């Protein structure tokens, strides 16, 4: 009986660790330009393309808890939407444009809304998000650039 209880505890711990690994350590996407993956521990992720770490705009200090959300095919490559959350309460986003030359990574953007409405019209991808005042803000991605209200984010 004693061993059965210890086995159950050990089994539950193993399942928890496996779930954590799958949620945070095995995020990858096969693209036309290679494998884009998220490597590292929770809250200390790295964005990796074909085994090479990519730098985020603003420096590597911006790395937090990254996740691959969706891939969009555009005329100049593949635009990958990445979630980037510095903490449990706020989620931002980035696009990674993969093309024949070098990856382009946009600055982080968003309103802390973790459920944006995303739509694609040709090469333009728009994300509509509620801000803290419940008003909708629209972010538009096109050609490696994200704009909010017509102004490029830097």
């Amino acid at each position: 009986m004693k061993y059965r209880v210890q086995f159950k505890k050990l089994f539950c711990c193993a399942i928890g660790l496996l779930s954590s690994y799958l949620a945070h350590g095995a995020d990858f996407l096969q693209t036309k330009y290679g494998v884009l993956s998220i490597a590292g521990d929770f809250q200390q992720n790295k964005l990796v393309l074909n085994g090479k770490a990519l730098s985020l705009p603003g420096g590597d200090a911006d790395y937090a808890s990254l996740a691959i959300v969706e891939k969009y095919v555009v005329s100049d490559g593949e635009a990958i939407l990445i979630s980037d959350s510095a903490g449990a309460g706020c989620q931002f986003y980035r696009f990674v444009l993969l093309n024949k030359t070098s990856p382009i990574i946009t600055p982080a953007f968003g309103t802390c809304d973790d459920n944006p409405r995303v739509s694609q019209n040709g090469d333009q991808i728009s994300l509509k998000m509620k801000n803290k005042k419940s008003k909708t803000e629209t972010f538009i991605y096109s050609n490696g650039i994200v704009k909010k209200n017509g102004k490029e984010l830097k």
Side-chain angles (χ1 to χ4, degrees):
M1 182 74 168
K2 179 180 173 183
Y3 294 111
R4 183 177 285 174
V5 171
Q6 288 178 338
F7 176 76
K8 284 183 181 179
K9 286 181 183 179
L10 181 61
F11 182 74
C12 289
C13 287
I15 294 297
L17 287 172
L18 179 61
S19 297
S20 175
Y21 172 77
L22 291 175
H24 304 297
D27 205 357
F28 69 93
L29 176 68
Q30 179 65 52
T31 73
K32 180 178 177 180
Y33 305 97
V35 176
L36 182 69
S37 61
I38 308 295
D41 297 328
F42 180 68
Q43 295 293 331
Q44 295 180 356
N45 293 157
K46 297 286 184 198
L47 190 57
V48 178
L49 178 62
N50 297 325
K52 181 180 176 191
L54 303 176
S55 292
L56 294 177
D60 290 341
D62 283 353
Y63 283 115
S65 181
L66 303 173
I68 297 170
V69 178
E70 188 67 54
K71 175 174 75 171
Y72 300 91
V73 176
V74 292
S75 64
D76 53 349
E78 294 175 335
I80 316 300
L81 182 61
I82 305 287
S83 67
D84 184 351
S85 60
C90 193
Q91 184 149 320
F92 289 99
Y93 297 89
R94 298 177 184 272
F95 277 98
V96 178
L97 176 64
L98 300 178
N99 55 31
K100 293 178 184 176
T101 57
S102 61
I104 298 171
I105 305 173
T106 68
F109 64 91
T111 63
C112 292
D113 183 349
D114 62 356
N115 193 23
R117 292 180 310 281
V118 184
S119 61
Q120 182 177 10
N121 185 7
D123 286 346
Q124 196 169 5
I125 303 164
S126 62
L127 288 86
K128 294 182 185 279
M129 303 176 193
K130 297 282 186 189
N131 64 19
K132 291 181 181 180
K133 296 179 181 178
S134 294
K135 293 187 178 183
T136 300
E137 294 189 24
T138 303
F139 297 86
I140 297 176
Y141 169 86
S142 182
N143 299 319
I145 297 171
V146 175
K147 293 182 179 180
K148 176 183 172 189
N149 300 326
K151 295 183 181 179
E152 182 179 340
L153 301 179
K154 297 190 181 217

